[in-house]
Amino acid sequence: MPRYEFRCRACGDTFEVNRPMSEAGAPASCPQGHGDTVKLLSTVAVTGRGGGVPGGAPAPTGGGCCGGGCGC
């Protein structure tokens, strides 16, 4: 289940709420009972075996700003 981060505008507390994606936009009350909260934009971390990892997909080769995939 996704975890969403909120900040309370009244007390400044930051807290997390686990809820289904279908309820991602629903408001959340802060643990102190305040209702004036805002959902924060969070970064996503994906881990696993991928490019450049022994046994995984090969790392891109070439140069340029993006590893040579676009020919720049």
Side-chain angles (χ1 to χ4, degrees):
M1 187 169 303
R3 180 176 297 165
Y4 299 96
E5 191 173 21
F6 290 83
R7 178 176 297 134
C8 178
R9 291 181 179 163
C11 68
D13 190 22
T14 300
F15 59 97
E16 296 178 341
V17 176
N18 292 329
R19 59 171 58 155
M21 290 179 74
S22 62
E23 298 176 18
S29 295
C30 109
Q32 305 301 319
H34 306 118
D36 188 14
T37 61
V38 62
K39 186 172 137 188
L40 302 176
L41 295 175
S42 301
T43 58
V44 176
V46 179
T47 60
R49 300 189 76 145
V53 176
T61 60
C65 63
C66 59
C70 65
C72 58

